[in-house]
Amino acid sequence: MKEYSVVGKRLPRIDSPAKAMGQAKYAADLVLPRMLHGKVLRSPHPHARILNIDTSQAEGLPGVKAVVTGKDTKGVKFGGWRAFTQLIDQYPLCMDKVRYIGDEVAAVAAVDEDTAEEALDLIRVDYEPLQAILDPEAAMKEGAPRIHEEVERNICWSRFIEFGNVEEGFARSDYVREDNFSLQTQAYAPTEPRACLASFDHAGRLTIWTSTQCPYPVQCQLAAALGLREGDVRVVQPFLGGGFGAKFELFPYEVCCSLLAQKTGRPVKMMYTRQEEFSASRTRHAMKIWLKTGFKKDGTLMARQARAVLDGGAYTSFGPTVTFTAGFFHTLLYRLPNYKYEGYRVFTNKPPSSGMRGIGAVQPFFAGETQMDMVARDLGIDPIELRLKNARQPNEVIPKLTTVNSCGLSECLTKVGESTRWHERQSKLPPGRGIGIACAGQQSGGAFNWFRTRLAFSNARVRANDDGTVVLFAGAADIGQGSSTVLCQILAEELGVRFEDVSIVAADTGTTPVDIGTWGSRVTFQAGNAVRAAAIELKKQLFAVVAPKLNADPVDLDIKDRKIFAKGRPEPSMPFPEAVTAAQAANKGKILEVAGSYHPEGKGIVSPAYSFVAVVAEVEVDRETGQVKVDRLTVAHDCGQPINPMSVEGQVEGSVHMGLGYALTEQVVSEKGEMLNPSFLDYRIPTALDMPEVKIIEVITDEPEGPFGAKEAGEGCVAPVAPAIANAIYDAIGVRVKDLPITPEKVLKALREAQPNS
Amino acid sequence: MQYPRRLPRFEYLEPKSLTEACKLLLQNDGKARVVAGGTDLIPKMKRRDVNPRALISLHGIPGLETISHSQVDGLRLGPLTTLGAVESSTIVTERFNVLYQAVQSMASSQVRGLGTVAGNLCNAAPSADTAPALMVLGTRLKLISPQRERTVAAESFFAGPSATVLEPGEILAEIQIPEVPRRSAGVYIKHTLRRAMDLAIVGVAVAITLQDDTCHNVRIALGAVAPTPIRVPGAEAILKGKGRSGDLFRRAAKEAATACQPIDDVRGSADYRREMVEVLTRRALEQAWDRCPGSTEGKR
Ligand SMILES: Cc1cc2nc3c(=O)[nH]c(=O)nc-3n(C[C@H](O)[C@H](O)[C@H](O)COP(=O)(O)OP(=O)(O)OC[C@H]3O[C@@H](n4cnc5c(N)ncnc54)[C@H](O)[C@@H]3O)c2cc1C
């Protein structure tokens, strides 16, 4: 393992003190002079035509400053899919139709929130209710009513993947099985309900402070929706209280808020309520997966075929990516010669589904890793051995899709097995207790240019001052995952200065260079590479000036702990501040500032690198009530070189927590398109008391494409939790639940079906 | 769907005595509500489930948050006694443990710091956790109005979901829990999906008093499986005067499951609830019996 000075250190995050002391300002905390408050009127119907909207009474209410409806907008659709314009399908305010309960119909700005809400009650909307289509399989049927007029059979996006020959693969298999899996709708439920504050200056330029994961894509989409030039829109991200993919796109309320600010000439703030955050934002795709797999008797994987139907909700959102990755992830973990996938994302009259932490991964991994356990039992092979036999190895190509460079999957499996004394305990625990394993992998950012940006995916600028301080300007958005800290660590390491010398300005399109945003576990990897490139460039400029003074060739110079010296010869040396002063002087006082960028060029169509993880779950099942108690989760995790191990552990624990809820308790329950549990009381995210002991084992690999060998760490550990728990339940009581969440009721039902007479 | 809104306008009244509070309630002719901790009422108002013209706060009246105890009167709780205060009272933990079990299973410590036992009862949710526990403790409720004062047994207090026998102008003024006989124990089992911050799918409370080796008295109450929290006298009768027997526990549990009338909702199906009543009643009976001082199990 390489020795680093700042990278790999357990440094506290730079934003922690402000958050711990309540000083961090989130979008909802911001206040501007003369600020108005905005509210959105939402559709009460899952599917209806808008016949007429009468806002006159609302406009007449004292304190109301503006009311906007679809007619006041430019009437252009927006969305992130600039590479496929047919997928851009959301209006800032509905024009002729509402497509889910919560769809935006009108917006109001008033002197305070009470007045704005009162005004909403005074807006009269005449609807002609249409038949609501809530089941994706019904929506796909020929002749089903259309949710978007131009979309046949309501199929928003379909995706096919094929390599090898599955028919042949199955024919040559000794053992083939097919299973159906069903995955529920999960809510993102970030701690911070979203909010934004929009303000125009006298030149007609907009600044919006908003809870977003993606300032640059929001800037571009917002400009288009308002008919402004991108450069006339500045998007600033304040502190952000969690995103998980929910704050990844431009949202209608941000356009409404901007419109109201434009119309009134005053700043306008809008804040989601908790219920809006639950029911009028985004959800994780519910999915039905059919999976067929063939093996040789000795456990060699021969072929896999999968079909997925995704419940898309009312708009495209980030669904096409999920449709693709839900097919891709079946190919990642094991050497697979023959594969075929068809995925259909279907519109329904529900809140739009999108990419949520473990994007398009948790669903296929639940199916694949549960089925792997069934196969192991049927073939009489230990589940870890079966996985090891087929496990992906470093530097392998997945046909037509991607190349996997570093891969610690086998080591993860071995270590998690050792740590949990797997071989002594699997199938041997007392009745009601069980142990189960599952694996997953995750991309380190996307390689596909869905946003059709002409700029590199990540950019950074670095300025060195002659007092030895260094300022990093990065478009990358810290959403609570700790990226700003990690980027400062990468910069300090590469530049040979101390961590405390570096400060960061981030996620402000007015002052920081373009970054495509925080999604798909890309920031440490991609923005990290951009930062590192800038640091290398800065060193180059410094070394050119310093070399003659140290009687050395620039290529022989190095910098460590703020001192520049020739490699292998610590003295003479030049302190970093002196070197910066010299570089400035050599350029007539020009500031020393450089840029770096990263773009995943030629890295297939998925991602430049992949993390891997194996999880062992230990559970107790109450056979009379069906209740499952998870006692311990042991996680062996390959994220390359951890830049900040403490931060990685936080991400792993957070992921595991989300996976636990997905496995056992979390589910959006709706009736006729209406969410019945839009609160933290009724939408059951595990509490601190529900958390099992979590043991984390870091498996360190060196990813050639990653900054200092790093890969993703924020998402991958969500996916294996549910199948590991499901497999442990099987080990405990001998029954399988193949649809999530595994509620006590489903466990009892499965037990009853297994032993009809008890 | 109603999106929760900011609170609507209402008049806030702070009477200086319970009598005055009752009068204000009567004067406002059904358009006013008493507010204690507000943890049920305020969210309902935000959802516009209820729209009172006035809120009559009890917080201006001194001495309503009491927990008093004597051999003669037993335990008495005031209308503003919070769940949190009950939870941290040693007398409750030591002598009325089933109430402690119920209270500490509720909501979160923040909500317990605000919410009251009286509010939990008057809100009359079928799943109200203190109700089964108070029922098996033989609790009586003192109700006062400008015209009269009366006491009713806890199990006669509920009239349906969100409905009680409180008449216009009537306020729950005191919760009276008689002293618990010596060789007694109580158990409350709350069946939930999460271990905190969750409402009961099923709640089962049991209190048993032993005499020699037989059951001198037993009370069984169920929550979340009928329009109101209920007692199940049929199941109790099976055990009275009998010795400890797994078979009798099973029969009583089955009887409880037959007696309840659960419904399907977001938290669970009617069938599952009924089944859980049987499992958990049996478990609660076993545990309560064995916790009685001097029970065969307790002696071991
Ligand atoms: C997040 C959360 C979690 C919760 N979890 C649980 C739980 O696990 N179990 C559970 O049972 N409940 C739970 N609740 C509900 C609530 O907290 C309890 O019912 C609490 O005990 C209510 O007491 P309160 O003082 O807040 O009542 P309030 O809201 O003040 O009043 C409730 C009702 O009773 C009436 N009322 C109050 N006092 C009197 C009186 N003296 N005389 C006549 N009428 C009166 C009010 O007018 C109102 O209609 C939860 C609530 C929340 C918000």
Side-chain angles (χ1 to χ4, degrees), chain A residues 43 52 67 135 215 262 267 309 323 426 530 543 559 661:
Chain A
S43 166
N52 185 44
V67 181
D135 173 44
Q262 197 172 34
V309 176
T323 316
Q426 200 242 348
F543 290 176
I559 173 164

Side-chain angles (χ1 to χ4, degrees), chain B residues 33-34 36-41 106-107 116 120 122 129 172 190 198:
Chain B
R33 291 266 183 157
V34 172
T39 62
D40 272 316
L41 190 57
M106 292 170 70
T116 61
N120 190 235
C122 294
D129 286 304
L172 169 54
K190 176 174 175 177
D198 212 348

Side-chain angles (χ1 to χ4, degrees), chain A residues 273-353:
Chain A
T273 62
R274 175 58 59 193
Q275 184 175 357
E276 283 178 299
E277 191 56 55
F278 266 114
S279 61
S281 61
R282 297 286 188 259
T283 60
R284 191 195 289 284
H285 284 79
M287 237 183 251
K288 293 255 188 298
I289 299 175
W290 167 80
L291 185 63
K292 179 176 175 185
T293 311
F295 282 84
K296 283 277 188 207
K297 265 204 293 284
D298 69 355
T300 308
L301 175 59
M302 297 300 290
R304 237 181 198 180
Q305 188 175 357
R307 182 177 193 268
V309 176
L310 290 73
D311 189 345
Y315 297 100
T316 294
S317 188
F318 216 53
T321 305
V322 181
T323 316
F324 171 62
T325 54
F328 163 71
F329 281 115
H330 286 303
T331 71
L332 181 62
L333 293 182
Y334 309 110
R335 294 169 160 175
L336 178 62
N338 305 294
Y339 181 57
K340 190 170 177 180
Y341 166 76
E342 51 186 319
Y344 302 93
R345 182 183 190 269
V346 187
F347 287 125
T348 55
N349 292 115
K350 289 192 260 190
S353 311

